[in-house]
Each structure stands twice: as C-alpha cells, then as structure tokens.
Amino acid sequence: ITFPVVVVSAQMPTETSLDTEKKLTTAIELPLLSLDGLDLINSSSYPGQSVVSVAFNPGINLQSATKEVQTKLDRLPLSPQTDIQVTGINLNESAVISYVITSDSQDLEALAKIAQTEIIPSLRSVSGVLKVNFLGDAQTQSSDEISEESPTLVSYNGENGLALEVIKKGNANAL
C-alpha cells in the first residue's frame, strides 16, 4: 500500500507570514480541497514562502495525484513572481541505511570510482532497493553522475569520506 503525499513549495515576494498566508497559501489550498482521494492538507506560511502538504488516501497513485495537483496549480492566477514546485513523495520509500566510505590508502577520486563500479551496483542488486544516492549534493541526484567534483564530502572520525544512502522501494518491507 502506498501512502502518497504531494508537497507544494511556493515562493512569492511578501513581507509577513500573514501576507503569505493570504496571498499564496490560501490560494494554493482552496483548489486542492476538491481533489479526489484527498485525506488531509497541512500548510506552513513564512514571509515569502509557503509549504503545503497534501496527503492522499492510502493506495492512490502517486504520479496521478502529483499531476492533478500540478494541473490545479497551473490554473491559479498568481503573480508572475511566484515560483511553485510540486513534489510527489511515497512515504514508504525511505532511507534504510547510510554508509560512509573512507580509506587510509585511497584518495576521494579513487573512492568515488570504487563506489561507482563496485559498491553501488552491489547495493542496487539487493531486492527491495529503489536507488542509491550520494548524500547532500544537489548536483548528484543519481549515482551514475559521480565524478571527483561531485561526491559529498563528509568527515567520519576526523577523516574525509563519501556518504551513500540506500532508499528502499515503497513495496519493500525491509532490506
């Protein structure tokens, strides 16, 4: 069973949280109230920023729900200065383990190559693994894009290393 949530993150030039609530958050929430399969809407308003979480009933198709939210928001008559991002999240797809890779004898470039050619393919082959990511680097969304410039540098016991995160599939109970 999937637990689909669609998160709407929006920015608009406003001075106060109340102004954001009035001009942006409420404008986003109102058309979403009529969505099929809607369970709950939560929101937070900050000066210039709104975050709206739209939870759907378990089992609703996440891609369809995300598309429906985007369609409703595309119709809103908002200021051209408004930036809206819509992200679908399956709450069943979560990080189950993180690794830090360090070495006394290999540099970070060599570690990245080892991770790309040996470690990540092995982790991906485990039943129930959705994906394997380097952590913390917005430029590195896929482990296929690893280079010496892109891995996330972490410190572990005072040594530089690389961090990996294993994400399980939504229908996997455990790894």
Side-chain angles (χ1 to χ4, degrees), residues 101-117:
I101 305 167
T102 62
S103 175
D104 294 331
S105 60
Q106 303 283 335
D107 63 15
L108 293 177
E109 182 178 355
L111 289 178
K113 288 179 184 175
I114 292 168
Q116 184 177 28
T117 60

Side-chain angles (χ1 to χ4, degrees), residues 94-99 123 132-133 135 164-168 175:
S94 59
V96 291
I97 194 162
S98 298
Y99 295 100
L123 291 171
V132 181
N133 294 325
L135 296 176
L164 299 174
E165 171 185 64
V166 179
I167 309 294
K168 74 174 188 75
L175 295 174

Side-chain angles (χ1 to χ4, degrees), residues 8 66 141:
V8 178
T66 303
Q141 296 299 318

Side-chain angles (χ1 to χ4, degrees), residues 86-100:
V86 177
T87 306
I89 300 170
N90 180 349
L91 295 181
N92 286 339
E93 295 172 354
S94 59
V96 291
I97 194 162
S98 298
Y99 295 100
V100 176

Side-chain angles (χ1 to χ4, degrees), residues 139-158:
Q139 300 299 317
T140 308
Q141 296 299 318
S142 165
S143 55
D144 294 332
E145 301 170 12
I146 300 166
S147 72
E148 67 180 274
E149 292 85 27
S150 63
T152 299
L153 183 63
V154 296
S155 180
Y156 182 75
N157 288 336

Side-chain angles (χ1 to χ4, degrees), residues 1-4 56-62:
I1 295 177
T2 60
F3 294 91
F56 289 86
N57 293 323
I60 296 291
N61 181 282
L62 178 60

